[in-house]
Amino acid sequence: MRKRILTGDRPTGRLHLGHYVGSLKSRVALQDEYEEFILVADVQALTTHFENPELIHDSIYQVAIDNLSSGLDPEKVTFVQQSMVGAIAELTIFYSMLVTVNQLSHNPTIKTEAKNYGYKEMTYGFLGYPVSQTADITFCNADLVPVGDDQVPHIEMARKIVRKFNELYGTSITEPDYKLSSVGRLCGLDGNAKMGKSLGNAVYLSDPEDVINQKVRAAVTDTNRISVKIPGNPDICTVFKYHKAFNEGESGNICSMCRNAAIGCVACKKLLAKALNDMLDPIREKRAYYEAHMDEVKDILASGTRKANEIGGRNIAEIKEKMHVSL
Ligand code: ATP
Ligand code: MG
């Protein structure tokens, strides 16, 4: 039996190159070895975007298309719309009884938010999102969750919740493990340490060629390099970081040309834009297909969600019986 992976995205907009290198690429690589559930986490999206339900609704399909066009095969993976799976909501409620407010307030994401904005404005839903994430992971007894190192505390909390729950009620919910991603954060082309939707520096998987060219043209390079004639320093150049991430084959050559002033920033950016467009071309082709076949996208989401409900429904019935939650 293949191990089950639960992963997904919050539909708060389209996915960008940071998502691609940080998670989509490995999802595609792992789809044969594991049984993958891709959660379109529209309830999680509400924790920060509850005032913008239209954006979430539109993004559900865009995020599904971003995943499909990146190479996930709908015959192999299961797409799940979170809000449509009752077992996730029920589990969230049950788990929430076993988690203390103190525990939640020590979670690094919550801590950062509290430090920046205090608790006055923080909603109950946001504070509790590691609990609902635990329900996301365990409704189908997922074995593994691919994460960046910032997400490890969430999985550790999930394990604690599940262990306590199993001990208390005699259930046998799988304690999930994490699968640590070796890829770090993708920086922004503007020099920001992170590419992020809300940072205004995202390069989207759905960006057409001319937008890619224009975004790359505006990228910051080695600011000390005021003339093409003086050597550049790739170690501090954003564009070079992108060459390493997206144009590995040429990056060694580009590095030495830059250090020897044998290539200028304009030409170097053109090479990067070409590499990105080459990488995105097959993704664009699949996107065009799915955008012309939206019914197919909806069917993929609907049938995956149906399967999730069958699995979740069986599990939650068993759990409730063990908890003596019954008529
Ligand atoms: P926002 O700016 O609204 O927070 P975002 O662009 O940071 O949006 P999220 O939805 O917060 O996107 O990201 C979800 C996950 O995607 C992160 O936990 C991380 O694993 C991955 N991710 C996002 N941005 C990057 C990035 N720049 N590099 C690598 N991974 C990323
Ligand atoms: Mg973010």
Side-chain angles (χ1 to χ4, degrees):
M1 268 265 282
R2 286 181 303 163
K3 284 200 170 175
R4 191 169 279 176
I5 280 185
L6 188 290
T7 182
D9 311 284
R10 296 181 341 124
T12 55
R14 294 168 180 237
L15 301 183
H16 54 64
L17 291 181
H19 298 120
Y20 184 76
V21 293
S23 50
L24 293 182
K25 225 170 135 177
S26 71
R27 277 178 208 173
V28 174
L30 296 173
Q31 65 183 331
D32 289 308
E33 190 182 345
Y34 294 91
E35 185 189 6
E36 287 189 323
F37 281 66
I38 313 292
L39 193 72
V40 183
D42 55 345
V43 179
Q44 294 277 5
L46 283 167
T47 59
T48 53
H49 289 64
F50 59 91
E51 287 163 310
N52 210 345
E54 297 87 2
L55 169 76
I56 298 177
H57 188 260
D58 293 344
S59 301
I60 288 170
Y61 301 105
Q62 286 308 323
V63 162
I65 293 177
D66 282 325
N67 274 277
L68 289 163
S69 54
S70 294
L72 281 175
D73 181 346
E75 299 288 325
K76 292 179 186 162
V77 306
T78 305
F79 283 89
V80 182
Q81 188 178 345
Q82 183 191 21
S83 60
M84 296 294 128
V85 182
I88 296 179
E90 287 192 75
L91 271 180
T92 304
I93 303 263
F94 293 147
Y95 288 157
S96 74
M97 311 303 167
L98 312 189
V99 184
T100 64
V101 173
N102 190 53
Q103 247 177 317
L104 289 169
S105 67
H106 283 103
N107 175 279
T109 308
I110 306 293
K111 239 170 144 170
T112 310
E113 192 76 7
K115 204 170 128 213
N116 293 340
Y117 307 104
Y119 281 105
K120 208 159 163 246
E121 295 298 318
M122 193 186 294
T123 63
Y124 167 57
F126 185 86
L127 178 72
Y129 102 88
V131 180
S132 95
Q133 208 177 48
T134 305
D136 296 340
I137 299 165
T138 56
F139 89 90
C140 63
N141 285 312
D143 302 286
L144 283 173
V145 186
V147 292
D149 47 8
D150 58 324
Q151 287 273 313
V152 172
H154 290 120
I155 309 304
E156 272 160 4
M157 179 174 288
R159 291 175 65 87
K160 264 195 205 131
I161 295 172
V162 171
R163 203 172 311 140
K164 190 166 173 187
F165 198 93
N166 282 338
E167 276 166 18
L168 251 177
Y169 300 117
T171 45
S172 46
I173 302 166
T174 305
E175 256 183 63
D177 220 332
Y178 53 81
K179 188 168 173 38
L180 203 59
S181 149
S182 51
V183 189
R185 287 218 167 286
L186 181 69
C187 63
L189 280 170
D190 58 352
N192 193 305
K194 181 184 179 292
M195 173 180 288
K197 260 178 321 238
S198 54
L199 298 168
N201 61 4
V203 178
Y204 293 98
L205 291 173
S206 48
D207 279 344
E209 191 174 336
D210 57 327
V211 174
I212 296 287
N213 294 343
Q214 173 243 315
K215 284 182 177 174
V216 174
R217 243 189 339 260
V220 292
T221 52
D222 169 5
T223 48
N224 298 320
R225 197 177 179 200
I226 43 170
S227 144
V228 198
K229 292 184 195 103
I230 63 167
N233 181 3
D235 298 338
I236 56 163
C237 176
T238 308
V239 170
F240 185 65
K241 288 199 182 100
Y242 273 64
H243 274 297
K244 277 204 291 198
F246 299 102
N247 192 20
E248 213 193 342
E250 277 189 297
S251 67
N253 194 24
I254 289 167
C255 181
S256 54
M257 285 201 294
C258 175
R259 285 194 203 284
N260 296 316
I263 187 172
C265 294
V266 173
C268 179
K269 285 177 174 178
K270 277 197 180 136
L271 291 177
L272 175 64
K274 167 143 191 352
L276 288 177
N277 281 317
D278 285 350
M279 182 196 88
L280 291 173
D281 273 341
I283 297 177
R284 288 177 182 136
E285 210 172 292
K286 289 202 195 81
R287 171 179 300 279
Y289 171 83
Y290 283 112
E291 280 179 347
H293 297 82
M294 280 307 281
D295 286 351
E296 210 172 301
V297 178
K298 288 185 182 173
D299 277 350
I300 290 167
L301 267 169
S303 67
T305 304
R306 209 154 40 235
K307 176 174 161 190
N309 269 314
E310 281 160 19
I311 297 170
R314 269 198 307 274
N315 290 342
I316 197 74
E318 221 171 275
I319 288 165
K320 282 162 92 171
E321 202 179 305
K322 291 265 165 86
M323 291 178 78
H324 302 286
V325 175
S326 61
L327 283 170

